[in-house]
């Protein structure tokens, strides 16, 4: 019954590897996001998709590539992982409305690059 | 550009007492909304309370209430009758525009002392 689910919850990998994080929402929302939370707990948006279309793409290295096969899924693929990529990555979703809304978050994926 | 500032990195409160967490923001948008999210050690981001900017009345949710001062661009969170389960990181956030882009503050770590 989890509204926004991410897999895996924990990911430990070596520098240079390629990894993916999956996200699925069962809320029927049109908009999905990826956020990065660094070691100082600062939460920053990376990408936003609406109905499988990229809407927001903040300054993120092009090693990060989001993929949205359908509006219920937004996966994050990271190439050539670096130590600085270590962080908690949150997927979120929200309804497509022009006014008041809120983002529903997944439980986060703690990525550790060694 | 939107900015959200939380000037208190850490706060502590005695159980059953009241604590207020501060937040200021800056935006050029006229239509926007504000949130407080809670992040306990489990990492899950949980919406605590939200406020539409056009509403003058301060939002309340049980023991949680806000003091929204639109002219001062201030949005503080008051927690009454603090409980041990309230211990968490609290993030102030602001969103606006049709893409629901939400900007988060840097968070305040709340400790509840038994």
């Amino acid at each position: 019954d989890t509204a926004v689910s991410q897999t895996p919850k924990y990911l430990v990998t070596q520098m240079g590897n390629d990894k993916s994080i999956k996200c699925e929402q069962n809320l029927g929302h049109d908009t999905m996001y990826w956020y990065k939370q660094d070691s100082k707990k600062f939460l920053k948006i990376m990408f936003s998709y609406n109905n499988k279309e990229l809407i927001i793409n903040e300054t993120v290295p092009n090693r990060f590539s989001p993929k949205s096969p359908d509006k219920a899924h937004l996966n994050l693929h990271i190439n050539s992982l670096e130590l600085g990529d270590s962080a908690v990555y949150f997927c979120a979703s929200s309804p497509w409305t022009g006014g008041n809304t809120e983002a529903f978050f997944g439980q986060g994926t703690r990525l550790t690059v060694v | 550009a939107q900015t959200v500032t939380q000037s208190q990195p850490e706060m502590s409160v005695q159980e059953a007492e009241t604590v207020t967490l501060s937040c200021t923001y800056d935006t050029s948008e006229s239509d926007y909304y504000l949130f407080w999210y809670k992040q306990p050690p489990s990492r899950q981001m949980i919406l605590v309370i939200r406020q539409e900017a056009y509403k003058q009345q301060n939002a309340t949710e049980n023991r949680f209430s806000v003091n929204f001062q639109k002219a001062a661009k201030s949005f503080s969170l008051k927690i009454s009758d603090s409980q041990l389960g309230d211990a968490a990181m609290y993030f102030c956030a602001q969103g606006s525009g049709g893409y629901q882009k939400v900007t988060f503050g840097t968070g305040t770590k709340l400790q509840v002392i038994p």
Side-chain angles (χ1 to χ4, degrees), chain A residues 58 97 100-101 103 105 108, chain B residues 35 37 43-44 52 100-101:
Chain A
E58 293 295 314
T97 62
N100 184 16
T101 185
F105 284 80
Chain B
F35 307 102
Y37 278 88
R43 288 205 315 256
Q44 182 74 47
E52 291 91 336
Q100 297 102 46
K101 181 182 175 181

Side-chain angles (χ1 to χ4, degrees), chain B residues 10-14 19 86-88 108-114:
Chain B
E10 294 189 28
M11 292 280 287
S12 61
V13 62
Q14 210 68 34
V19 65
D86 295 334
T108 295
K109 184 176 181 180
L110 179 65
Q111 181 186 17
V112 180
I113 304 166

Side-chain angles (χ1 to χ4, degrees), chain A residues 38-106:
Chain A
D38 62 23
S39 58
K40 296 184 178 178
K41 301 291 188 181
F42 183 61
L43 199 62
K44 183 175 169 58
I45 191 167
M46 300 173 68
F47 301 102
S48 173
Y49 266 75
N50 182 64
N51 264 323
K52 305 190 298 175
E53 183 180 339
L54 181 64
I55 300 297
I56 295 172
N57 182 358
E58 293 295 314
T59 306
V60 175
N62 57 17
R63 298 182 294 104
F64 290 79
S65 53
K67 291 283 192 302
S68 182
D70 55 61
K71 76 173 192 177
H73 296 83
L74 180 62
N75 304 323
L76 183 65
H77 189 74
I78 316 170
N79 290 325
S80 303
L81 277 155
E82 300 177 356
L83 293 177
D85 297 332
S86 295
V88 179
Y89 292 85
F90 285 95
C91 177
S93 73
S94 67
W96 174 252
T97 62
N100 184 16
T101 185
E102 68 180 84
F104 292 80
F105 284 80

